[in-house]
């Protein structure tokens, strides 16, 4: 299931600097969530396992099944939307997992994705593994801001469902993590030029569409959750974001985290539905 991945010199140096001792492992499947039996095999590559579970009170009544499973006591790793390379805080030391689909990823970009996860592991204070522990009990508030459930039936009054909330939550978490890591990437021009160039190139690929993103949402060409995912992925590149996403590229969001994200969602959806009224 897992095998140690050899690292080029620049990646080995990034690991030594940011995540010494963390294993980087190839996974022989393209998973969304690793089931408990597979996750436990990680124990062969680390000093210890520390499976995480989260209070069911954090979850609204309607959530995707995989999120409910992720919150439960079974040892699972990964969620949909995590990308080609994931990290887990449930091992000691923390581990980086490279999915099977990485075989089709250009070498330079894949190297950056691995380096990105290593930098995330080394952040101080430590970053949570996924958006659920980031939001904690505020996840219910985010759900209420986005779905605006009818008090009698619980049905969404905005047309957005639990999967949409999941997508927005994951995107907002991605932006918050990017605020913690992008200074490291920006400093790599001389020390790790291959990784720096991959970071810049990925940002260039995003920048062309950002200016028209708000218009796409207004015209209905792009759904709000997808637009949020796109804009939030640009935060780690330090790109100029259109309204309402520019408010996420702030020191206030970096410092206040989930509380800020929920307030942003509440204000954004107030404006969105007031405009439609």
């Amino acid at each position: 299931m897992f095998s140690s991945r050899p690292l080029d010199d620049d990646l080995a140096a990034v690991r030594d600097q940011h995540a010494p001792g963390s294993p980087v492992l190839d996974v022989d499947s393209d998973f969304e969530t690793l089931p408990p039996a597979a996750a436990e095999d990680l124990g062969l590559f680390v000093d210890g396992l520390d499976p995480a579970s989260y209070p069911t009170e954090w979850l609204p009544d309607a959530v995707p099944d995989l999120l409910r499973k992720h919150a439960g006591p079974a040892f699972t790793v990964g969620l949909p939307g995590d990308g080609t390379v994931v990290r887990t805080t449930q091992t000691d030391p923390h581990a980086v997992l490279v999915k099977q689909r990485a075989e089709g990823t250009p070498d330079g970009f894949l190297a950056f994705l691995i380096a990105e996860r290593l930098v995330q592991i080394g952040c101080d204070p430590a970053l949570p593994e996924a958006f659920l522990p980031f939001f904690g009990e505020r996840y219910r508030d985010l759900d209420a801001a986005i779905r605006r459930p009818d008090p009698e039936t619980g049905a969404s009054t905005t047309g957005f469902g639990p999967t949409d909330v999941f997508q927005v939550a994951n995107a907002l978490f991605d932006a918050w993590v990017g605020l913690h890591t992008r200074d490291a990437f920006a400093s790599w021009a001389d020390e790790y030029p291959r990784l720096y160039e991959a970071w810049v190139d990925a940002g260039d690929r995003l920048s062309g569409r950002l200016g028209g993103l708000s218009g796409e949402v207004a015209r209905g060409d792009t759904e709000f959750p997808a637009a949020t995912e796109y804009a939030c992925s640009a935060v780690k590149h330090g790109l100029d974001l259109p309204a309402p996403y520019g408010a996420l590229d702030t020191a206030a969001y970096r410092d206040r985290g989930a509380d800020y994200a929920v307030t942003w969602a509440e204000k954004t959806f107030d404006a969105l539905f007031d405009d439609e009224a």
Side-chain angles (χ1 to χ4, degrees), residues 185-194 196-197:
F185 309 148
S187 72
W188 285 352
D190 296 326
E191 192 172 11
Y192 309 123
R194 177 178 70 137
Y196 176 80
E197 289 167 8

Side-chain angles (χ1 to χ4, degrees), residues 15-238:
R15 178 169 65 179
D16 289 345
Q17 180 180 357
H18 293 277
S22 287
V24 178
L25 306 174
D26 286 323
V27 186
D28 66 5
S29 67
D30 188 17
F31 64 91
E32 288 188 325
T33 297
L34 284 174
E40 288 170 2
D41 288 345
L42 285 169
L44 298 173
F45 298 90
V46 295
D47 297 331
L49 301 176
D50 185 21
S53 61
Y54 307 106
T56 56
E57 292 79 8
W58 287 1
L59 300 176
D61 292 337
V63 296
D65 289 341
L66 273 175
L67 183 58
R68 193 173 299 281
K69 182 178 179 181
H70 183 79
F75 182 25
T76 59
V77 174
L79 283 169
D82 280 347
T84 300
V85 181
V86 303
R87 64 182 171 92
T88 180
T89 64
Q90 300 178 80
T91 60
D92 180 22
H94 299 174
V96 175
L97 308 178
V98 183
K99 298 179 183 180
Q100 187 179 48
R101 72 185 192 208
E103 294 174 0
T105 304
D107 290 344
F109 184 58
L110 179 58
F112 168 71
L113 294 179
I114 295 171
E116 178 184 22
R117 297 304 188 189
L118 292 169
V119 170
Q120 291 171 3
I121 287 173
C123 285
D124 184 20
L127 305 180
E129 179 173 326
F131 70 80
L132 184 57
F134 168 69
F135 280 100
E137 62 186 8
R138 299 303 312 270
Y139 189 72
R140 295 180 67 93
D141 298 324
L142 183 71
D143 179 84
I146 296 173
R147 295 179 59 243
R148 295 187 173 192
D150 182 278
E152 294 185 0
T153 66
S156 172
T157 61
T158 63
F160 293 108
T163 301
D164 298 311
V165 179
F166 180 109
Q167 187 176 3
V168 172
N170 199 37
L172 291 172
F173 175 64
D174 188 41
W176 181 77
V177 170
L179 291 172
H180 286 78
T181 57
R182 68 185 184 191
D183 286 349
F185 309 148
S187 72
W188 285 352
D190 296 326
E191 192 172 11
Y192 309 123
R194 177 178 70 137
L195 304 178
Y196 176 80
E197 289 167 8
W199 173 68
V200 171
D201 181 65
D204 289 344
R205 293 174 184 272
L206 289 170
S207 61
R209 186 179 163 198
L210 283 174
L213 201 57
S214 297
E216 290 181 23
V217 174
R219 294 190 301 272
D221 295 338
T222 300
E223 292 290 336
F224 182 84
T228 303
E229 187 174 59
Y230 194 91
C232 286
S233 66
V235 171
K236 69 184 173 190
H237 299 283

